[in-house]
Amino acid sequence: MTALTLALSKGRILEDCTPLLTAVGIAPAGDASRLLRLPTQDANVELLVIRPTDVPTYVEYGAADLGIVGKDILLEHGGEALYEPLDLGIARCRLSVATQKDSPLVKGGLDAAGSQRLRVATKYPEMARRYFSARGQQVEIIKLYGSMELAPLVGLSDVIVDLVATGNTLRANGLVEIVTICESSARLVVNKAAMKMKHAAIRALLDRFTLAVGNV
Ligand code: PRP
């Protein structure tokens, strides 16, 4: 049998995917909190546990044959070099613009900024740039690597562009969403060369995923 490697990310995706991986028959068979390479219930499938933003790179270079990654990451970092055959329908969230609840932007929307050049804190600079440029609104993008919610509270930015799932993090920090930029969910991606070279094995695994997505 052809061996396959599937890359996925720690945290939200791994947690949300575990029931699906179990239904597909590739549940991790080791300590997913420590090991970076994990065997699964299926002797022919190995998991790599890496950072979300690294999943497209591992799959693009063929270090992993397949990957599970959020659409938000594919849109921000580019997923053109990969096949994206399946929306797994899990890890659902949205990329939104949010600000402090007492900001005039809450009532008036982004137009209320007038000629003010908003400062936008985000770890999605590309998505933010595209969104504001499509609106014809000049902004200053401030790239952060985490805890975006803090930026408006300490005057680092006027708004943030960040993922919202339950909305709990925004609420806890006195922030509200003004606009949704796009919706996201976990996608199965496949290396293009592997799709040719290991076609039968990948096709069979894709079929197992497709069946499980309908049943989980
Ligand atoms: C994301 C996002 C928010 C939070 C939103 O962070 O950046 O902080 O989740 O989720 P909620 O609406 O359910 O509260 P994540 O936990 O993925 O970690 P990160 O900040 O390291 O990206």
Side-chain angles (χ1 to χ4, degrees):
M1 284 292 284
T2 314
L4 294 176
T5 304
L6 185 144
L8 44 73
S9 45
K10 254 196 191 118
R12 196 186 295 270
I13 295 264
L14 181 58
E15 281 163 30
D16 287 10
C17 274
T18 304
L20 181 65
L21 297 178
T22 305
V24 171
I26 55 168
D31 181 358
S33 64
R34 287 180 199 284
L35 290 171
L36 303 176
R37 292 179 87 161
L38 279 172
T40 71
Q41 290 167 289
D42 183 332
N44 295 308
V45 181
E46 173 188 50
L47 302 179
L48 304 183
V49 183
I50 55 183
R51 283 179 70 101
T53 47
D54 289 339
V55 172
T57 309
Y58 272 69
V59 178
E60 185 181 334
Y61 282 88
D65 303 301
L66 304 105
I68 294 179
V69 61
K71 183 67 180 175
D72 54 299
I73 304 279
L74 292 172
L75 289 170
E76 176 69 21
H77 298 274
E80 301 81 20
L82 310 168
Y83 289 124
E84 188 193 317
L86 196 60
D87 181 348
L88 300 176
I90 51 177
R92 285 187 187 279
C93 54
R94 52 197 184 272
L95 191 67
S96 296
V97 184
T99 191
Q100 283 180 283
K101 61 176 184 249
D102 56 2
S103 160
L105 300 177
V106 174
K107 258 209 176 124
L110 289 169
D111 290 339
S115 59
Q116 185 202 348
R117 195 163 180 239
L118 292 178
R119 287 201 296 195
V120 181
T122 186
K123 66 176 177 192
Y124 296 86
E126 208 34 59
M127 297 285 285
R129 208 183 320 279
R130 264 185 257 158
Y131 176 73
F132 284 100
S133 127
R135 281 181 49 81
Q137 187 165 11
Q138 294 252 346
V139 295
E140 184 181 345
I141 308 272
I142 301 172
K143 165 92 199 230
L144 293 178
Y145 293 86
S147 306
M148 258 64 60
E149 293 83 2
L150 187 59
L153 306 184
V154 295
L156 177 59
S157 74
D158 302 295
V159 298
I160 61 171
V161 167
D162 197 18
L163 290 186
V164 182
T166 59
N168 289 340
T169 313
L170 288 183
R171 265 191 298 281
N173 290 289
L175 303 176
V176 291
E177 276 175 281
I178 326 176
V179 196
T180 300
I181 296 180
C182 68
E183 306 281 339
S184 178
S185 56
R187 308 296 162 99
L188 191 65
V189 292
V190 184
N191 172 272
K192 288 191 172 172
M195 190 65 147
K196 290 201 186 79
M197 310 294 287
K198 303 182 178 180
H199 188 263
I202 290 182
R203 192 67 259 167
L205 191 61
L206 284 181
D207 289 346
R208 281 157 68 188
F209 265 104
T210 306
L211 200 66
V213 165
N215 293 330
V216 170

